[in-house]
Amino acid sequence: MVLALDTTLSSVSRVGALEHSFVADSARRVAPAVVRIDTERTVERQAFDPGLIDPLLRDLLGDPQAGPERERGQGSGVVINAEGLILTNAHVVDRVESVSVTVADGEQLDGHVVGFDSVTDLALVQLEGRKLPPKAPLGDSEAIEVGDWAIALGTPFGLERTVTLGIVSSLHRNINSLGFSDKRLDLIQTDAAINPGNSGGPLVNAEGEVIGINTLVRSGPGAGLGFAIPINLAQKVADQLQQQGEVIHPYIGLQLVGLTPRIARDHNRDPNALVQLPERTGALVQSVLPQGPAEQAGLRRGDLVIAVETNTVTDPQTLLEVVDAARIEEPLPLTVLRNGRELTLSVKPAPLPGIG
């Protein structure tokens, strides 16, 4: 009997001494700052074609009328400062009329949209209330490497306080390659499960620091891949939204494709090719936006951009990164190859139109 009692006590002692995983520790550190965001907005309901409605149903219900109706949405967010400022996705709060925020202890607070930037899919929501949740510890997205742990927190499908685990699968994944031509983002790719409702929630490293803002998941072929906006970019955008209420993105008005010597050679061998391409690396101008900065600077379809300022252009992304960091209306020298001759043209970036 004594031996049995000792064994039981020993088992209890071992259970009490069990340590939690780093995932539990990381999630516990960030979870108090993770919120659920519920939104409402008015949308116009479209009238049905009367010819498509069964006559009996029309007699019973009448003709459906077009008109406004309330649309509800949901997403996640993370508190980034002591004043209750929440970072989330722009598509979560785009054109909404009311914002309700549920904090970690279940309390519901009102919020209002400070500003959003559709180009980077980021937005700020200000919490209203006396008792505000703590802010999340923010990490450095430039310090992460492929293979690092990645932990996603949020409210997928309305299921609050959900935590999933994976790794950083890739870095600097261009969002344009995912079919979003109206965005400018290099994303963190992860296999941590990100589902509808996770949008705007944090992606966290093994130390419990926010390294990204979850933004989308790939469905269909290749499903299971999630993407997050690097926190370093998110912080810059948040600062501009807080100070100015908007983010100004420089643009020059070019549609570009990457060119390499091999692609050029394959093209030039085609007997039906209308033009011969230079067999070198660069960003080939596919089209020039009418009345845009590039057209005003003299760029043409078929030009090959090989340098911007002192930087060699190896692909379109190299040029876009320099343009993104450029000042509005400040001359930006481009070296282009046209008909075998190198030309230097000066283009003045302008604010990207149609944002908001």
Side-chain angles (χ1 to χ4, degrees):
M1 293 293 289
V2 174
L3 181 60
L5 179 60
D6 287 343
T7 302
T8 303
L9 290 175
S10 177
S11 299
V12 171
S13 176
R14 285 199 301 273
V15 170
L18 285 177
E19 293 185 359
H20 294 291
S21 71
F22 74 92
V23 181
D25 293 336
S26 297
R28 190 184 308 110
R29 189 178 181 198
V30 178
V34 180
V35 301
R36 188 186 81 199
I37 299 175
D38 293 281
T39 62
E40 284 192 8
R41 66 174 176 173
T42 301
V43 295
E44 286 294 322
R45 183 177 61 231
Q46 299 297 317
F48 291 103
D49 182 350
L52 300 178
I53 303 175
D54 186 279
L56 177 61
L57 289 178
R58 189 185 306 122
D59 291 340
L60 292 173
L61 303 176
D63 289 331
Q65 300 296 317
E69 63 180 9
R70 302 294 285 177
E71 181 181 82
R72 293 180 173 85
Q74 191 176 89
S76 303
V78 59
V79 180
I80 60 171
N81 70 10
E83 287 72 47
L85 204 59
I86 297 170
L87 193 55
T88 186
N89 286 150
H91 73 259
V92 171
V93 297
D94 185 18
R95 296 188 297 275
V96 301
E97 293 154 10
S98 68
V99 178
S100 176
V101 179
T102 304
V103 297
D105 63 5
E107 184 180 1
Q108 288 189 327
L109 301 173
D110 290 330
H112 70 270
V113 179
V114 175
F116 67 90
D117 178 46
S118 58
V119 174
T120 56
D121 194 26
L122 289 166
L124 283 181
V125 172
Q126 179 64 60
L127 268 180
E128 300 171 3
R130 293 182 179 179
K131 185 181 177 182
L132 299 174
K135 67 177 182 178
L138 304 183
D140 180 4
S141 52
E142 290 298 320
I144 61 177
E145 295 184 0
V146 173
D148 284 349
W149 290 110
I151 305 163
L153 288 81
T155 310
F157 302 109
L159 302 173
E160 297 179 41
R161 295 178 292 279
T162 295
V163 179
T164 58
L165 174 67
I167 62 168
V168 174
S169 304
S170 183
L171 295 169
H172 306 296
R173 186 69 75 194
N174 193 316
I175 195 170
N176 297 147
S177 66
L178 301 172
F180 295 86
S181 59
D182 60 337
K183 308 293 182 189
R184 289 189 189 178
L185 283 172
D186 279 342
L187 299 170
I188 301 169
Q189 180 182 320
T190 179
D191 62 351
I194 296 175
N195 293 295
N198 265 121
S199 293
L203 189 70
V204 179
N205 63 17
E207 287 71 44
E209 299 169 331
V210 178
I211 55 172
I213 302 297
N214 302 325
T215 187
L216 60 93
V217 61
R218 183 182 178 91
S219 58
L225 301 179
F227 300 90
I229 304 163
I231 193 61
N232 291 17
L233 171 62
Q235 283 184 276
K236 292 178 182 177
V237 171
D239 289 342
Q240 293 183 57
L241 288 174
Q242 190 176 13
Q243 295 166 12
Q244 306 167 16
E246 64 177 350
V247 180
I248 297 175
H249 297 277
Y251 93 112
I252 57 175
L254 290 177
Q255 185 174 5
L256 304 163
V257 294
L259 186 69
T260 65
R262 180 172 181 175
I263 293 175
R265 282 194 296 271
D266 290 343
H267 169 86
N268 294 338
R269 291 193 189 104
D270 185 350
N272 297 317
L274 298 178
V275 295
Q276 293 291 295
L277 297 177
E279 296 182 5
R280 59 183 296 176
T281 299
L284 185 67
V285 177
Q286 195 171 38
S287 64
V288 182
L289 188 70
Q291 300 180 344
E295 184 185 70
Q296 295 173 7
L299 276 96
R300 304 176 188 171
R301 174 181 168 88
D303 286 347
L304 182 67
V305 182
I306 57 175
V308 53
E309 294 182 323
T310 59
N311 305 299
T312 300
V313 172
T314 56
D315 52 38
Q317 187 60 28
T318 307
L319 175 57
L320 290 176
E321 287 174 359
V322 176
V323 172
D324 271 339
R327 293 179 180 273
I328 302 296
E329 295 298 333
E330 289 279 337
L332 193 65
L334 299 182
T335 304
V336 303
L337 201 60
R338 179 186 298 169
N339 298 326
R341 296 174 50 218
E342 283 193 14
L343 304 174
T344 300
L345 303 175
S346 180
V347 59
K348 294 181 179 180
L352 184 66
I355 302 302

